[in-house]
Amino acid sequence: MTTPTATTAVPDAVIDALQGARRVLVLSGAGMSAESGVPTFRDAQTGLWEAFDPTQLATLEAFQMDPPFVWAWYAWRMQLVGAVDPNAGHVALAALAGLREVTISTQNVDDLHERAGSSVAAHLHGSLFEPRCSECDTPYDGEVELPQEPVERLDPPTCPQCEGDVRPGVVWFGETLPEQAVEVTEAAVEALEPGDVVLVIGTSGLVYPAAGYPAMARAEGATVIEINPHESEISDMCHHVVRGPAAEVLAAIVG
Ligand code: BV8
Ligand code: ZN
């Protein structure tokens, strides 16, 4: 790894920890995609959604109450993610996988890690790009109309099997996380040994159970490093904190 050239000071201890690590577990949140132009969850929602609290929109109840209203938000987000590119941070993590054993478990519902060349072990909160029927759970692979601008309402597609409303393939608040994603993440945490590194990137650490993994990793003896320009709920339990933007810091660290 090169000596960092970022404007953000990367502590030598972080460089040394990564140099010495055999395994790296990446726990990424919305801040990982911020420099690609994807609004984070708690930023002021762009345009139309400024008036709404995402945690009120990202629920099954909100969808059942008004499917076109909630579907419109997700269709806009699908369009937005499709129109942006992975940033230098996504690219750096893909390159890191050529140097170390890297496992990525993300809270993000975008596909930017994959489009940068990473394989993602777990999407803890599902994916924008795996819509399924809200009635019979059948994956929906038909046409999805993507609005070029945010729209207030957009009818969700209809399930070809049962005529039910198609829903986004994300995990809403109050819904349990995909079992496989939890199992894979917990196994990766339990496999950590002293000397391994956990990079907690761009998450406010507010949403559980995902927010609990950094503490579990620390208990396994791994070195926990946060990359986030701001303080988060997990900053206090990290061994090192790099207060800078993910793309810039990761590009500097991985080189
Ligand atoms: C569940 C998909 C069982 C939808 C999302 C205790 C235990 C268990 C559950 C709970 C609990 N306490 C409360 C709960 C309930 C709830 C919860 O945690 N609520 C919170 C609000 C308190 N959890 C759940 O409901 C979960 N389900 O536990 O099931 C159960 C069931 C019933 C009852 C009880 C338990 C399901 C949660 C999943 C919700 N779905 N997303 C969608 O995307 O629309 S969560 C959503 O928020 C996103 O996935 C996002 O990833 C996630 C967390 O946000 P962050 O990723 O951290 O993003 P955020 O905007 O918050 O922060 C961005 C960070 O980036 C900031 O720190 C910022 O400084 C930083 N940043 C900005 N720019 C950059 C940057 N960092 C680096 N570089 C930059 N350039
Ligand atoms: Zn159906």
Side-chain angles (χ1 to χ4, degrees):
M1 262 142 262
T2 55
T3 333
T5 52
T7 49
T8 310
V10 179
D12 286 346
V14 167
I15 303 294
D16 298 346
L18 270 166
Q19 295 284 16
R22 191 161 35 87
R23 269 194 206 95
V24 178
L25 171 61
V26 173
L27 300 172
S28 63
M32 180 77 227
S33 301
E35 285 149 282
S36 293
V38 182
T40 64
F41 222 72
R42 281 159 189 81
D43 273 355
Q45 294 297 325
T46 320
L48 204 60
W49 308 105
E50 263 165 308
F52 303 98
D53 168 1
T55 54
Q56 299 309 312
L57 261 174
T59 65
L60 179 61
E61 295 68 34
F63 179 76
Q64 288 170 330
M65 199 118 77
D66 190 351
F69 181 66
V70 173
W71 178 262
W73 184 45
Y74 284 94
W76 171 67
R77 289 172 61 191
M78 284 181 220
Q79 190 277 334
L80 183 144
V81 168
V84 301
D85 294 317
N87 60 54
H90 296 106
V91 172
L93 289 179
L96 184 63
L99 306 167
R100 298 284 180 284
E101 185 194 312
V102 174
T103 303
I104 297 177
S105 173
T106 186
Q107 296 174 76
N108 296 342
V109 295
D110 64 49
D111 60 352
L112 295 176
H113 278 303
E114 291 88 342
R115 284 166 50 195
S118 288
S119 66
V120 171
H123 272 277
L124 292 166
H125 298 158
S127 165
L128 283 173
F129 303 102
E130 288 167 8
R132 63 176 194 273
C133 176
S134 59
E135 301 293 334
C136 71
D137 234 19
T138 307
Y140 176 77
D141 51 13
E143 251 324 276
V144 175
E145 184 202 340
L146 296 182
Q148 294 312 309
E149 289 303 318
V151 289
E152 280 255 335
R153 303 169 67 72
L154 184 66
D155 285 340
T158 305
C159 169
Q161 310 299 331
C162 76
E163 302 283 302
D165 284 328
V166 169
R167 59 163 283 174
V170 300
V171 178
W172 278 324
F173 288 97
E175 293 187 322
T176 47
L177 275 57
E179 210 171 300
Q180 204 257 350
V182 170
E183 275 168 18
V184 162
T185 305
E186 288 183 355
V189 169
E190 279 147 25
L192 290 168
E193 292 168 351
D196 292 342
V197 162
V198 178
L199 294 177
V200 187
I201 307 169
T203 180
S204 56
L206 285 169
V207 175
Y208 281 85
Y213 291 130
M216 286 166 67
R218 181 162 180 146
E220 296 291 336
T223 303
V224 184
I225 298 168
E226 176 177 57
I227 300 175
N228 189 329
H230 306 297
E231 180 96 14
S232 75
E233 290 298 308
I234 55 112
S235 299
D236 293 348
M237 82 178 66
C238 295
H239 295 96
H240 307 291
V241 163
V242 187
R243 281 281 167 260
E248 182 198 296
V249 169
L250 287 166
I253 293 178
V254 178

